[in-house]
């Protein structure tokens, strides 16, 4: 052993230890959500106390309070007196239940607890591939975002810890971003989190980036100074129904679709958007206190960005359903990634998208679509919280 | 060169040469090298880290920062452009919606629609239908309204009213279109009362890229029967948005593509093949265009349609859920990094100048550092070479000065030790030298004594050896002589009787028996016989003499008288003269007179025989030399041949016809017994000479000395 200590080696060793300690400290700040957390489970702990109708003339609808603009639409639908009265005449009651992501909605549709729900394109495609749903209308047409602590190019995401909501639109947006950067899931460290946990985890250094839908990216940029959107992917959201419900209650289904059409039309006016934004913010705060509260104007503006993508009638875009369309490409990618069973075909999935429903509603209820009656708290429609 | 301690080592010149050959190993060189390399390393690494960033840290480097700064700018520009396009589209939709809801238009279109429907169903030719339609009362009002809107907004090429079912244009600001099919729509799929439908872009007959926005005109029955279509050229939005704007540089470019990545606007630059990409024909396959057309938004680095590296921000513009455009805003990376490249060049230049300055400064400073060290080294060299009075002339107040002071003190101490030691050494050396000299003398004496003893012994040994040789020789000679003598005695005894008888016979003959008739011849022959008998008798005598060997009986003898006696007895012929030169006179010598007389007689006899009755001389000289008598016997005869010199004293060797060969042998034997020697000193050519050397007696020396003192 030489008498003189190899200082270069010692210095290098100290640096390695320091870096390892800092990374360990950063990881230890991250919420324990990388595996086996409640948000990764099919039944989130938050849903424990939900009371579903299960055949008692109650139509349970899964909503996503943390997703603009679907939350504005569903909040409006919850306060839509025309809808509630129409369903009441049929002896039905509408009940809305809040979920963190579309995959959770699918789980409860699969279990029969929900009759309808709001989900993004990935959960909608997954459910459609299983043949369990009928997709009626657009609920959102905008972007999901990749947010990081500093500007990065897509190929620089390799080796990074990236949070995502399993089975969601944002997850698919992440896959597309990785693909655009020449990467795969294996090139990153995936960390499953609920969307409302992501900005704080990024700020704490527990993750290097996350994939989420609005308003989470907006909150991240506006409330956490160094968080920036590094990529966005076009994504869409849908209102869909369980196959059983669509077969058993076609009229009720059309009433609900009409309510969505009505809500989209109503939200076309700024004052209505502000009002709905207030409702949505109240629901967000009640559902999760992890995200900073936005003001109504920002919330309404964010919602409008995606609402105009829907256009005045949230018809299912024909171009997206073409064999070489956006949804077909997404379906193929999901199948390649084993998110969808290999035996499923695009034709089977495409048939789940029922463009005739909206046309039917428009042809039979056009006048109704231009009448609005939204009532404040204490509305006829119940919700779980 | 020898050092003070006597050891040898390389000379100063050799040592400086060694130093020069290891020039890069000097402190000066190392300082220059280290600081130069350090500076270069720091400069390069600092510049590199500054450019590329520090790994595992938040420092990204100027290049990354610059890129991301540019990405941010491009993103903002792209977002601005996107917003402007979206707002432009929204404005166009709003225009269309507003127009579609205009009550006057609704009513006028409703009238015209009925008439148009009737005309078209009556299978009247298109031109005639059109002219009949134009005659309708409400037609001009509607057209005027459309023209007013077109002129007011100043962005629309034309405005059309189309039948919802037949898709035929029945009102238009372009009269030529009346009755023709609307190119942009199949079965109407406009349902919404809020948003107007936007068609795909197309190229109109004027080669312009145009966009159509359509909106149902909902009649009193609440059913859409007509559609208002407003046709707008993309040039409007391109000029106002894509070609220029805040943050948009002269080299920047914005490209709008549809979902098939066909460009919707003219390209700013030529394609690599020199052509210009045409809208709705050229497909932009760049990554940014593909991503934007697919509904992605972000930033990227890529090569654009020219192949130039660019930074690009791409956006997706949702025209409708069915229709979307991709927007790519790009900037040449060379332009982005131009400032950094300029910085790098400037840094390289200043770095180069700095390196030169550093090297010069280091050289100068290194000299200042190493000069005292060199002084110290040279002083040490001088001390090593023996100059203990040498001192380092370093007076700096730093570590080297301290070292020099310590060195000088050390050398001073060494010098004093050396001097003291030298003194002791000198003293001791003197003592040792004295001892050594004494020892040397003793050794010399011993050596001399030893040598003398050796020589003495050698001489004695040689003498002994010589004596032994002589004795051996004598013994041999004597043995030989004894043998000869015995033989000779026997021969002499045996011959004397016959010789006596012969001698008697000759007497008788001569006296009584000589016939008278014999005359003188008989007497002559008888004389010859007498001579021969005498010679034989002499030989017999010599032989007999050899048997009568006896040791010499020495007594003081007058050498002069003895020599005269020998000559008188020799009866020399008249032709031979003799002389004797003796010094001193009388020359007394302690010898056996009889034997010496025989020696002299034999020599005289040999000389007479050598001269053979010719004129000649015989001379004898005698001198005293130290304690010896040296006697020279010389005759003027022919001498002795060189080949006979070595055998002259051998028994029975003779050169005479009538000799016994024993005369010189007997002389040598007699002289040897006297302790002397005889040798031939002159040989052929100038006569013959013998040197006899006889030892003087002690008594003769005393008498001589007395005579010398008295005389």
């Amino acid at each position: 052993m030489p008498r003189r200590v190899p200082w270069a080696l010692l210095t290098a060793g100290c640096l390695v230890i320091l870096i390892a300690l800092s990374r360990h400290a950063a990881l230890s700040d991250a919420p324990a959500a990388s595996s086996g957390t409640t948000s990764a489970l099919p039944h989130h702990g938050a849903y424990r106390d939900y009371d579903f109708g299960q055949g008692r003339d109650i139509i349970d609808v899964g909503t996503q309070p943390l997703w603009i603009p679907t939350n504005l639409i569903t909040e409006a639908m919850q306060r839509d007196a025309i809808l509630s009265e129409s369903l009441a005449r049929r002896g039905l009651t509408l009940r809305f239940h809040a979920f963190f992501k579309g995959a959770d909605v699918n789980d409860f549709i699969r279990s029969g607890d929900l009759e309808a729900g709001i989900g993004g394109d990935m959960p909608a495609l997954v459910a459609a591939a299983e043949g369990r749903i009928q997709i009626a209308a657009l609920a959102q047409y905008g972007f999901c975002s990749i947010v990081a602590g500093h500007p990065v190019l897509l190929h620089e995401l390799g080796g990074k810890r990236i949070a995502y909501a399993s089975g969601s639109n944002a997850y698919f947006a992440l896959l597309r971003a990785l693909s655009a950067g020449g990467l795969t899931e294996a090139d990153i460290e995936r960390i499953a989190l609920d969307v409302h946990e992501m900005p704080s985890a990024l700020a704490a250094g527990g993750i290097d980036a996350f994939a989420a839908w609005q308003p989470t990216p907006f909150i991240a940029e506006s409330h956490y100074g160094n968080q920036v959107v590094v990529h966005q992917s076009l994504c869409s959201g849908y209102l869909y129904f369980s196959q059983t419900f669509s077969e058993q209650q076609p009229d009720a289904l059309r009433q609900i679709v009409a309510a969505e059409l009505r809500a989209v039309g109503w939200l076309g006016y700024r004052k209505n958007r502000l009002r709905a934004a207030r409702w949505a913010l109240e629901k967000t705060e009640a559902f999760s206190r992890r995200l900073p509260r936005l003001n109504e104007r920002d919330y309404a503006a964010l919602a409008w960005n995606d609402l105009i993508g829907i256009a005045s009638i949230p018809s299912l875009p024909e171009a997206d359903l073409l064999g070489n369309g956006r949804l077909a490409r997404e379906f193929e990618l999901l199948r390649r990634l084993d998110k969808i069973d290999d035996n499923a075909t695009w034709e089977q999935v495409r048939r789940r998208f029922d463009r005739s429903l909206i046309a039917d509603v428009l042809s039979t209820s056009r006048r109704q679509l231009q009448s609005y009656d939204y009532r404040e708290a204490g509305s006829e429609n119940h919700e779980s919280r | 060169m020898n050092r003070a301690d006597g050891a040898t080592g390389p000379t100063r010149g050799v040592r400086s040469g060694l130093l020069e050959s290891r020039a890069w190993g000097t402190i000066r060189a190392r300082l220059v090298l280290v600081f130069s390399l350090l500076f270069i390393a720091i400069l390069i690494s600092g510049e590199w880290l500054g450019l590329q960033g520090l790994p595992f840290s938040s420092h990204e480097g100027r290049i990354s920062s610059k890129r991301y700064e540019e990405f941010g700018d491009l993103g903002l520009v792209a977002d601005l452009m996107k917003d402007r396009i979206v707002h432009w589209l929204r404005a166009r939709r709003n225009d269309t919606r507003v127009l579609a809801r205009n009550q006057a238009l609704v009513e006028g279109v409703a009238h015209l629609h009925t008439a148009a429907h009737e005309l078209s169903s009556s299978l009247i030719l298109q031109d005639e239908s059109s002219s009949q339609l134009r005659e309708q009362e409400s037609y001009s009002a509607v057209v005027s309204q459309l023209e007013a809107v077109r002129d007011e907004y100043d962005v629309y090429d034309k405005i059309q009213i189309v039948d919802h079912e037949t898709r035929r244009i029945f009102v238009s600001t372009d009269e030529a279109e009346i009755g023709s099919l609307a190119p942009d729509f199949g079965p109407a799929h406009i349902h919404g009362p809020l948003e107007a439908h936007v068609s795909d872009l197309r190229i109109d007959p004027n080669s312009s890229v145009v966009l159509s926005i359509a909106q149902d005109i909902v009649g009193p029955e609440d059913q859409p029967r007509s559609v208002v279509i407003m046709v707008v050229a993309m040039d409007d939005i391109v000029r106002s948005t894509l070609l220029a704007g805040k943050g948009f540089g002269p080299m920047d470019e914005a490209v709008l593509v549809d979902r098939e990545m066909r460009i919707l606007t003219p390209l700013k630059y030529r394609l690599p093949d020199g052509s210009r990409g045409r809208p709705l024909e050229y497909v932009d396959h760049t990554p940014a265009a593909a991503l934007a057309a697919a509904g992605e938004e972000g930033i990227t680095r890529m090569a654009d349609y020219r192949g130039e590296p660019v930074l690009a921000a791409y956006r997706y513009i949702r025209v409708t859920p069915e229709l979307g455009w991709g927007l790519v805003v790009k900037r040449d990376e060379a332009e982005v990094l131009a400032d950094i490249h300029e910085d790098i060049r400037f840094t390289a230049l200043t770095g180069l100048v700095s390196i030169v300055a550093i090297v010069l400064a280091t050289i100068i400073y290194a000299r200042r550092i190493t000069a005292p060290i060199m002084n110290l080294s040279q002083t040490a060299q001088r001390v090593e070479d023996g100059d203990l009075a040498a001192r380092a002339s370093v007076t700096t107040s730093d570590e080297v000065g301290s070292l020099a002071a310590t060195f000088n003190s050390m050398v001073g101490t060494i010098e004093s030790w050396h001097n003291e030691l030298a003194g002791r050494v000198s003293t001791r050396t003197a003592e040792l030298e004295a001892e050594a000299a004494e020892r040397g003398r003793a050794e010399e004496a011993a050596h001399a004594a030893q040598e003398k003893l050796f020589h003495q012994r050698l001489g004695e040994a040689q003498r002994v050896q010589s004596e032994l040789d002589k004795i051996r020789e004598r013994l041999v000679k004597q043995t030989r002589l004894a043998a000869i003598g015995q033989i000779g005695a026997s021969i002499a005894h045996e011959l004397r009787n016959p010789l006596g008888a012969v001698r008697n016979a000759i007497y008788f003959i001569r006296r009584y028996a000589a016939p008278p008739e014999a005359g003188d011849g008989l007497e002559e022959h008888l004389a010859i016989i007498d001579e021969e008998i005498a010679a034989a008798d002499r030989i017999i005598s010599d032989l007999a003499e050899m048997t009568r060997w006896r040791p010499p009986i020495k007594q003081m003898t007058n050498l002069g008288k003895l020599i005269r006696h020998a000559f008188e007895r020799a009866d020399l012929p008249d032709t031979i003269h003799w002389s004797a030169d003796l010094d001193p006179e009388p020359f007394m010598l302690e010898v056996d007179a009889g034997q010496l007389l025989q020696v002299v007689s034999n020599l005289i006899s040999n000389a007479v025989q050598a001269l053979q009755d010719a004129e000649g001389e015989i001379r004898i000289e005698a001198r005293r030399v130290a304690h010896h008598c040296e006697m020279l016997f010389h005759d003027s005869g022919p001498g002795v041949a060189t080949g006979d010199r070595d055998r002259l004293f051998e028994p029975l060797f003779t050169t005479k016809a009538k000799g016994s060969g024993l005369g010189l042998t007997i002389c040598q034997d007699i002289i040897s017994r006297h302790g002397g020697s005889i040798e031939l000193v002159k040989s052929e050519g100038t006569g013959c000479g013998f040197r006899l050397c006889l030892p003087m007696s002690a008594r003769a020396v005393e008498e001589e000395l007395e005579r010398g003192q008295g005389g």
Side-chain angles (χ1 to χ4, degrees), chain A residues 141 156 232-233 318 366, chain B residues 68 191 296-297 318 322:
Chain A
Y141 206 89
E156 294 171 343
Q232 292 194 120
S233 293
E318 187 176 2
R366 198 172 187 90
Chain B
Y68 285 120
H191 302 287
E296 308 286 331
E297 295 192 344
R318 289 166 297 164
E322 304 281 350

Side-chain angles (χ1 to χ4, degrees), chain B residues 59-84:
Chain B
H59 179 65
E60 295 176 328
R62 295 206 306 274
I63 292 179
S64 286
S65 296
K66 182 67 175 176
R67 281 207 188 104
Y68 285 120
E69 184 185 320
E70 292 297 321
F71 278 134
D73 288 345
L74 286 173
L76 285 173
V77 172
D79 289 334
L80 261 168
M81 287 186 176
K82 175 183 172 181
D83 282 344
R84 291 176 73 170

